[in-house]
Amino acid sequence: VKSMMYVLLLIAVSLVPYLSLLQKFFWSDDWYILSLTNISSLGEFARFFSFRLSEHVTPVYRPLSTEAFYFVMHRLFGLNPVPFHLVGFAVWALGGYMLYLLMKEIHKKDHAVMILFFYLFSASHFTRLSYLSAFQEVLMFTAGISALYFIQKRRFVISLALFIAALLSKESAVI
Protein backbone atom coordinates (compact mmCIF):
# COMPACT_ATOMS: atom_id res chain seq x y z
CA VAL A 1 0.00 0.00 0.00
CA LYS A 2 2.83 2.39 0.88
CA SER A 3 4.59 1.82 -2.46
CA MET A 4 1.31 2.35 -4.30
CA MET A 5 0.93 5.73 -2.61
CA TYR A 6 4.43 6.65 -3.81
CA VAL A 7 3.54 5.59 -7.34
CA LEU A 8 0.33 7.62 -7.36
CA LEU A 9 2.16 10.61 -5.87
CA LEU A 10 4.85 10.29 -8.54
CA ILE A 11 2.18 10.25 -11.27
CA ALA A 12 0.43 13.28 -9.75
CA VAL A 13 3.68 15.27 -9.43
CA SER A 14 4.63 14.40 -13.02
CA LEU A 15 1.42 16.08 -14.24
CA VAL A 16 2.25 19.44 -12.65
CA PRO A 17 4.43 20.70 -15.54
CA TYR A 18 1.57 20.03 -17.94
CA LEU A 19 -1.18 21.87 -16.07
CA SER A 20 -0.54 25.09 -18.02
CA LEU A 21 -1.56 23.17 -21.15
CA LEU A 22 -5.15 23.27 -19.93
CA GLN A 23 -5.26 26.84 -21.25
CA LYS A 24 -4.14 25.75 -24.74
CA PHE A 25 -6.93 26.01 -27.29
CA PHE A 26 -7.44 23.94 -30.45
CA TRP A 27 -5.21 24.69 -33.40
CA SER A 28 -3.92 23.26 -36.68
CA ASP A 29 -4.75 19.54 -36.97
CA ASP A 30 -7.36 19.82 -34.23
CA TRP A 31 -9.59 21.98 -36.43
CA TYR A 32 -9.12 19.62 -39.37
CA ILE A 33 -10.15 16.59 -37.31
CA LEU A 34 -13.05 18.45 -35.69
CA SER A 35 -14.34 19.31 -39.17
CA LEU A 36 -14.06 15.65 -40.26
CA THR A 37 -16.04 14.48 -37.27
CA ASN A 38 -18.93 16.86 -37.85
CA ILE A 39 -21.38 14.08 -38.66
CA SER A 40 -25.05 13.51 -38.00
CA SER A 41 -25.74 9.76 -38.08
CA LEU A 42 -24.66 6.50 -36.52
CA GLY A 43 -23.83 5.20 -40.00
CA GLU A 44 -21.35 8.02 -40.49
CA PHE A 45 -19.81 7.18 -37.10
CA ALA A 46 -19.44 3.53 -38.17
CA ARG A 47 -17.63 4.70 -41.33
CA PHE A 48 -14.85 6.04 -39.11
CA PHE A 49 -13.89 2.37 -38.72
CA SER A 50 -14.22 1.49 -42.40
CA PHE A 51 -11.12 1.08 -44.55
CA ARG A 52 -12.75 3.16 -47.28
CA LEU A 53 -11.72 6.75 -47.66
CA SER A 54 -14.45 9.32 -47.24
CA GLU A 55 -14.81 12.99 -46.41
CA HIS A 56 -15.12 12.09 -42.72
CA VAL A 57 -11.87 10.21 -42.12
CA THR A 58 -8.23 11.18 -42.00
CA PRO A 59 -5.92 9.74 -44.67
CA VAL A 60 -4.33 7.48 -42.03
CA TYR A 61 -6.27 4.74 -40.26
CA ARG A 62 -6.54 5.85 -36.62
CA PRO A 63 -10.28 5.74 -36.04
CA LEU A 64 -10.32 5.20 -32.27
CA SER A 65 -7.80 7.86 -31.23
CA THR A 66 -8.67 10.42 -33.86
CA GLU A 67 -12.17 10.41 -35.35
CA ALA A 68 -14.00 8.61 -32.53
CA PHE A 69 -12.13 10.49 -29.79
CA TYR A 70 -12.80 13.91 -31.32
CA PHE A 71 -16.41 13.05 -32.16
CA VAL A 72 -17.29 11.88 -28.64
CA MET A 73 -15.39 14.66 -26.88
CA HIS A 74 -16.86 17.35 -29.14
CA ARG A 75 -20.38 16.02 -28.60
CA LEU A 76 -19.92 15.94 -24.83
CA PHE A 77 -17.95 19.16 -24.27
CA GLY A 78 -18.25 21.27 -27.41
CA LEU A 79 -15.24 23.44 -28.17
CA ASN A 80 -13.97 23.44 -24.60
CA PRO A 81 -10.42 22.03 -24.89
CA VAL A 82 -9.99 21.48 -21.12
CA PRO A 83 -11.82 18.11 -21.03
CA PHE A 84 -9.87 17.00 -24.13
CA HIS A 85 -6.63 17.74 -22.27
CA LEU A 86 -7.87 16.14 -19.04
CA VAL A 87 -8.77 12.93 -20.84
CA GLY A 88 -5.35 12.97 -22.50
CA PHE A 89 -3.66 13.44 -19.12
CA ALA A 90 -5.74 10.67 -17.54
CA VAL A 91 -4.99 8.18 -20.34
CA TRP A 92 -1.30 9.12 -20.19
CA ALA A 93 -1.23 8.63 -16.39
CA LEU A 94 -3.01 5.29 -16.77
CA GLY A 95 -0.34 4.28 -19.30
CA GLY A 96 2.35 5.12 -16.77
CA TYR A 97 0.56 3.13 -14.10
CA MET A 98 0.19 0.13 -16.41
CA LEU A 99 3.90 0.39 -17.27
CA TYR A 100 4.67 0.29 -13.54
CA LEU A 101 2.47 -2.79 -13.04
CA LEU A 102 4.11 -4.58 -15.97
CA MET A 103 7.62 -3.72 -14.80
CA LYS A 104 6.75 -4.84 -11.29
CA GLU A 105 5.78 -8.22 -12.73
CA ILE A 106 9.06 -8.73 -14.59
CA HIS A 107 11.55 -6.70 -12.48
CA LYS A 108 12.08 -5.83 -8.86
CA LYS A 109 9.64 -3.32 -7.43
CA ASP A 110 12.41 -0.71 -7.02
CA HIS A 111 13.31 -1.05 -10.68
CA ALA A 112 9.66 -0.63 -11.64
CA VAL A 113 9.47 2.68 -9.77
CA MET A 114 12.69 3.88 -11.40
CA ILE A 115 11.40 2.94 -14.88
CA LEU A 116 8.13 4.72 -14.13
CA PHE A 117 10.06 7.82 -13.02
CA PHE A 118 12.03 7.97 -16.28
CA TYR A 119 8.88 7.38 -18.31
CA LEU A 120 6.84 10.06 -16.54
CA PHE A 121 9.52 12.73 -16.65
CA SER A 122 10.63 12.16 -20.24
CA ALA A 123 10.59 15.38 -22.25
CA SER A 124 9.14 13.44 -25.18
CA HIS A 125 5.71 13.63 -23.56
CA PHE A 126 5.45 17.38 -23.91
CA THR A 127 4.39 17.15 -27.56
CA ARG A 128 2.05 14.23 -26.93
CA LEU A 129 0.26 16.08 -24.16
CA SER A 130 0.28 19.58 -25.60
CA TYR A 131 -1.12 18.80 -29.05
CA LEU A 132 -4.54 17.22 -28.78
CA SER A 133 -4.10 15.65 -32.20
CA ALA A 134 -1.21 13.62 -30.72
CA PHE A 135 -3.68 11.75 -28.49
CA GLN A 136 -3.15 8.82 -30.86
CA GLU A 137 0.33 8.33 -29.37
CA VAL A 138 -0.98 8.42 -25.81
CA LEU A 139 -3.83 5.98 -26.43
CA MET A 140 -1.65 3.64 -28.49
CA PHE A 141 0.95 3.42 -25.71
CA THR A 142 -1.60 2.96 -22.94
CA ALA A 143 -3.56 0.27 -24.79
CA GLY A 144 -0.35 -1.44 -25.94
CA ILE A 145 1.35 -1.51 -22.54
CA SER A 146 -1.91 -2.67 -20.97
CA ALA A 147 -2.09 -5.49 -23.52
CA LEU A 148 1.41 -6.59 -22.55
CA TYR A 149 0.49 -6.49 -18.86
CA PHE A 150 -2.54 -8.69 -19.43
CA ILE A 151 -0.48 -11.15 -21.49
CA GLN A 152 1.81 -11.40 -18.47
CA LYS A 153 -1.27 -12.10 -16.33
CA ARG A 154 -2.45 -14.70 -18.89
CA ARG A 155 -5.66 -12.77 -19.60
CA PHE A 156 -5.46 -13.28 -23.36
CA VAL A 157 -8.94 -12.05 -24.40
CA ILE A 158 -8.44 -8.74 -22.56
CA SER A 159 -4.95 -8.49 -24.01
CA LEU A 160 -6.20 -9.07 -27.55
CA ALA A 161 -8.94 -6.43 -27.14
CA LEU A 162 -6.37 -3.91 -25.87
CA PHE A 163 -3.96 -4.72 -28.70
CA ILE A 164 -6.76 -4.13 -31.21
CA ALA A 165 -7.51 -0.82 -29.47
CA ALA A 166 -3.82 0.09 -29.81
CA LEU A 167 -3.92 -0.78 -33.53
CA LEU A 168 -7.07 1.31 -33.98
CA SER A 169 -5.22 4.18 -32.30
CA LYS A 170 -2.08 4.17 -34.41
CA GLU A 171 -0.75 1.71 -36.93
CA SER A 172 2.75 1.61 -35.40
CA ALA A 173 1.27 -0.44 -32.51
CA VAL A 174 1.98 -3.46 -34.70
CA ILE A 175 5.66 -3.01 -33.88
Side-chain angles (χ1 to χ4, degrees):
V1 173
K2 189 175 181 180
S3 65
M4 185 56 60
M5 293 302 291
Y6 287 130
V7 167
L8 294 176
L9 180 63
L10 185 61
I11 290 171
V13 168
S14 71
L15 283 167
V16 170
Y18 301 108
L19 292 178
S20 66
L21 296 175
L22 292 174
Q23 299 171 3
K24 191 172 183 294
F25 201 62
F26 301 106
W27 75 289
S28 190
D29 290 351
D30 300 327
W31 293 113
Y32 170 66
I33 298 166
L34 283 166
S35 72
L36 292 178
T37 60
N38 189 16
I39 60 170
S40 57
S41 74
L42 191 57
E44 289 175 307
F45 182 83
R47 278 197 286 273
F48 289 160
F49 295 89
S50 169
F51 290 108
R52 302 170 94 194
L53 284 178
S54 78
E55 69 276 6
H56 293 291
V57 296
T58 60
V60 291
Y61 191 73
R62 299 171 183 166
L64 188 59
S65 62
T66 304
E67 290 90 353
F69 170 70
Y70 273 82
F71 172 78
V72 169
M73 294 298 290
H74 185 234
R75 289 298 179 265
L76 291 175
F77 304 108
L79 292 177
N80 179 359
V82 173
F84 284 74
H85 286 293
L86 290 175
V87 168
F89 293 168
V91 172
W92 176 76
L94 177 62
Y97 180 71
M98 294 307 295
L99 173 66
Y100 167 76
L101 291 179
L102 177 63
M103 293 298 105
K104 197 170 83 167
E105 288 289 317
I106 58 180
H107 293 295
K108 294 178 183 176
K109 187 170 37 174
D110 293 343
H111 292 166
V113 172
M114 184 177 65
I115 290 166
L116 175 63
F117 175 84
F118 285 117
Y119 170 78
L120 291 174
F121 289 96
S122 170
S124 68
H125 297 302
F126 183 79
T127 301
R128 290 181 190 101
L129 294 174
S130 62
Y131 299 112
L132 293 171
S133 60
F135 180 71
Q136 60 205 352
E137 296 278 340
V138 174
L139 187 57
M140 179 198 65
F141 175 80
T142 299
I145 203 73
S146 299
L148 292 174
Y149 172 76
F150 283 106
I151 283 175
Q152 186 72 20
K153 291 295 198 178
R154 309 190 68 70
R155 305 289 305 269
F156 299 113
V157 173
I158 295 170
S159 180
L160 178 62
L162 288 163
F163 179 64
I164 290 169
L167 287 172
L168 292 173
S169 298
K170 190 166 184 192
E171 64 281 0
S172 56
V174 76
I175 296 171

